[in-house]
Amino acid sequence: MSGRRGRQPGPRLSWLLCCSALLSPAAGYVIVSSVSWAVTNEVDEELDSASTEEALPALLEDSGSIWQRSFPASAHEEDAHLPPPEGTARARPPPAPPGMFSYRREGSARLRPGTARFLAHASAWGCLATVSAHEKIPGLPFGNCLLVSDGPSNNSTGVPFFYVTPKDLLVADLMKKPTASLLLPESEGEFCRKNIVDPEDPRCARLTLTGQMVAVSPEEVEFAKQAMFSRHPVMRKWPRQYEWFFMKMKIEHIWLQKWYGGVADISREDYFKAVPRKA
């Protein structure tokens, strides 16, 4: 009897048959960089003529499904910036993926005071930090968000005014130690909202004013009313039993974070003579 007549299939053939059986239910899928998309009848013909890695994500995108556009691995290759080999045509650079934004560049130092004044005038609120006088946390930093105004919309002074009550813990702190720090962020501004910039991103400007908080003098109360009530009309209706009164900050130091590279220290002279300039 010949030894070949009863020979069983070799291990290689068995492995191929096994893979074929396992992969048969996967018909109708295209595998690109280990990611699969369901292929509908409408795109079968297009896939035959445009089945490159660059074209597949666009062809297979379904705006009505949970799938979102993916980007090919070539867009993230580490050597994508290297020049092509000699004798080959240089490929066109791929378009920038959606969701990327172009950002302004940092301006010169002479423009920073104007940006600081703009933030001081455009800000409707700020975070005021004091040195706590509370018995449980004496001497520790304590902060709260307050409405603020440096003047009516047509009259920027650069000096932040506040409408406060003695019942506020911040005011109790200030009565014992008037030193305070005021943060005015650009996070609510047009640039940060339009470009979806995180408030902590250096491109989203932040102004910090430090100084002494004082009660507004009787001679200046009328201007303080115009400054606060014109920007925050609801304040007129706040309950009178809370003994509201006006305070302002006598600025000693101005710090502006506008771009990468650290915080700029702006002199009081440059700050107060500057014209508000959009950040």
Side-chain angles (χ1 to χ4, degrees):
M1 180 181 295
S2 173
R4 297 182 179 178
R5 182 174 299 176
R7 187 175 181 179
Q8 298 297 323
R12 180 176 296 179
L13 181 59
S14 299
W15 181 82
L16 290 174
L17 291 175
C18 180
C19 290
S20 176
L22 289 173
L23 293 176
S24 58
Y29 285 81
V30 175
I31 299 177
V32 178
S33 298
S34 300
V35 180
S36 299
W37 291 273
V39 179
T40 60
N41 293 333
E42 289 77 10
V43 299
D44 279 339
E45 295 181 0
E46 291 181 324
L47 288 175
D48 291 337
S49 59
S51 59
T52 65
E53 188 182 52
E54 298 288 343
L56 283 175
L59 289 174
L60 298 174
E61 180 182 9
D62 181 5
S63 59
S65 72
I66 63 172
W67 293 98
Q68 296 180 350
R69 175 167 298 185
S70 300
F71 299 101
S74 60
H76 308 286
E77 288 177 355
E78 295 181 356
D79 59 350
H81 65 284
L82 298 178
E86 295 184 4
T88 61
R90 180 181 292 273
R92 290 184 301 172
M100 300 298 290
F101 304 98
S102 58
Y103 299 105
R104 62 192 177 188
R105 293 183 178 273
E106 166 68 346
S108 63
R110 63 184 178 83
L111 300 178
R112 291 172 186 165
T115 299
R117 285 292 302 273
F118 170 81
L119 289 174
H121 186 58
S123 298
W125 61 273
C127 297
L128 189 72
T130 61
V131 179
S132 177
H134 195 279
E135 59 182 7
K136 292 186 178 181
I137 52 172
L140 295 181
F142 189 82
N144 198 2
C145 292
L146 297 178
L147 298 180
V148 63
S149 170
D150 82 327
S153 58
N154 61 349
N155 186 7
S156 169
T157 66
V159 176
F161 287 84
F162 306 85
Y163 193 46
V164 295
T165 171
K167 300 181 183 298
D168 192 328
L169 291 178
L170 280 180
V171 179
D173 295 341
L174 294 171
M175 294 297 102
K176 294 186 177 181
K177 191 174 182 62
T179 302
S181 174
L182 176 66
L183 171 67
L184 301 173
E186 191 194 4
S187 56
E188 297 299 321
E190 179 182 358
F191 171 79
C192 300
R193 286 188 290 106
K194 179 186 294 185
N195 295 293
I196 318 176
V197 179
D198 188 271
E200 196 173 354
D201 192 305
R203 292 166 294 185
C204 196
R206 298 184 293 277
L207 176 66
T208 301
L209 305 174
T210 61
Q212 305 294 313
M213 293 286 290
V214 298
V216 172
S217 64
E219 296 79 15
E220 205 174 7
V221 166
E222 190 58 36
F223 179 82
K225 285 183 179 180
Q226 295 177 14
M228 295 303 299
F229 295 165
S230 65
R231 304 282 293 275
H232 310 286
V234 69
M235 286 182 164
R236 296 179 181 273
K237 300 180 180 180
W238 285 1
R240 295 185 179 275
Q241 63 266 29
Y242 283 88
E243 302 174 356
W244 301 98
F245 68 102
F246 295 97
M247 294 190 79
K248 69 176 183 178
M249 175 179 281
K250 297 181 68 175
I251 299 173
E252 296 176 351
H253 299 283
I254 301 102
W255 306 90
L256 177 68
Q257 169 78 66
K258 186 187 174 187
W259 201 253
Y260 298 101
V263 179
D265 183 4
I266 301 173
S267 70
R268 294 178 71 256
E269 180 183 2
D270 290 342
Y271 175 78
F272 282 110
K273 73 180 183 181
V275 176
R277 172 186 174 275
K278 192 171 183 179

